[in-house]
Amino acid sequence: MTEHPEPAADSQDSDDQALERIIAVRAREYRQAAGLSVGEMAQRVGISKAMLSKIENAQTACSLTTLSRLARGLDVPVTALFRGMDDEREAVFVPAGHGARIVRRGTRVGHEYAQLGSLRGAHKRMDALLVTLTEQSEVFPLFQHAGTELLYMLEGVMVYGHGKSSYTLRPGDALQFDGEAPHGPERLVELPIRFLTVTAFGDSPQH
């Protein structure tokens, strides 16, 4: 008869220890940020000083009740005590010159857009573009979208409009603005023009 070995407990033990270490680090971090000693924090939470010390040194596993009281005493959500537990985080790497070319309303008037990356999660999204303007145009498309945008000038000079305001941007200049207001280039002063634009969206991004 073929024997089926029992799953090793090492993996579970390792996960439990990792969780205890994360809670220890977060508990100490938030306590110190609040300017409280171990004794003061223990009194606020309603546990012994020895128990809190064990928690902060990853020497004990917290019950759900203790975690709840700890979070309440620290004035943070319970989930804050687990921050950093997930080791995997998304990252996007785009080698120089390999940004995907995308088409937008400005493409037909000499605007070139290279997608440098896009991160999406349960509660966030960020898009980054490298924009190159190589042709003079009398008409410029205006853009409106949700989120906050950061524009950083790399080359050239242009006048950029946002709402009722206009800004002359040169290499090294940065402009951050609310994307809901109409915005876009108003006048190309010195070509070619290159700038980086990063847009951060909230929970429900809409274009």
Side-chain angles (χ1 to χ4, degrees):
M1 181 176 65
T2 303
E3 293 186 3
H4 297 282
E6 291 294 325
D10 291 350
S11 177
Q12 182 64 49
D13 290 344
S14 178
D15 288 344
D16 290 343
Q17 291 168 1
L19 180 58
E20 290 167 12
R21 287 194 297 270
I22 287 294
I23 293 173
V25 171
R26 295 287 86 81
R28 187 183 309 110
E29 180 182 86
Y30 288 122
R31 175 181 62 76
Q32 292 175 345
L36 298 171
S37 67
V38 173
E40 291 170 333
M41 189 69 234
Q43 185 175 11
R44 176 187 286 197
V45 175
I47 60 177
S48 70
K49 182 178 177 180
M51 174 59 76
L52 180 57
S53 181
K54 286 184 177 180
I55 291 172
E56 289 195 1
N57 286 285
Q59 295 174 345
T60 185
C62 288
S63 67
L64 292 177
T65 299
T66 301
L67 277 175
S68 178
R69 291 166 66 180
L70 190 59
R72 189 163 57 250
L74 292 167
D75 195 26
V76 299
V78 173
T79 53
L81 296 173
F82 303 106
R83 181 169 56 83
M85 186 59 195
D86 295 330
D87 293 326
E88 295 298 323
R89 289 290 185 265
E90 184 180 0
V92 177
F93 172 66
V94 180
H98 287 73
R101 296 300 188 265
I102 62 175
V103 176
R104 288 193 167 184
R105 282 178 294 165
T107 302
R108 57 186 174 80
V109 290
H111 298 196
E112 181 182 297
Y113 304 91
Q115 180 79 58
L116 297 183
S118 182
L119 283 177
R120 289 170 172 77
H123 304 291
K124 60 184 179 296
R125 192 178 77 170
M126 186 186 77
D127 290 327
L129 294 174
L130 177 62
V131 183
T132 303
L133 313 183
T134 56
E135 296 180 13
Q136 286 282 8
S137 175
E138 295 182 0
V139 180
F140 299 102
L142 291 178
F143 301 93
Q144 285 181 275
H145 54 75
T148 302
E149 184 169 347
L150 170 67
L151 187 157
Y152 183 78
M153 283 291 288
L154 299 172
E155 183 181 3
V157 181
M158 71 174 174
V159 177
Y160 198 88
H162 175 258
K164 296 180 180 180
S165 301
S166 297
Y167 305 87
T168 299
L169 302 179
R170 297 178 173 83
D173 289 343
L175 179 65
Q176 186 171 349
F177 52 86
D178 187 328
E180 296 283 0
H183 57 275
E186 291 182 348
R187 185 161 60 91
L188 308 184
V189 179
E190 185 179 311
L191 293 169
I193 293 170
R194 286 193 311 131
F195 59 90
L196 176 67
T197 172
V198 180
T199 305
F201 299 92
D203 288 350
S204 302
Q206 297 177 355
H207 289 281

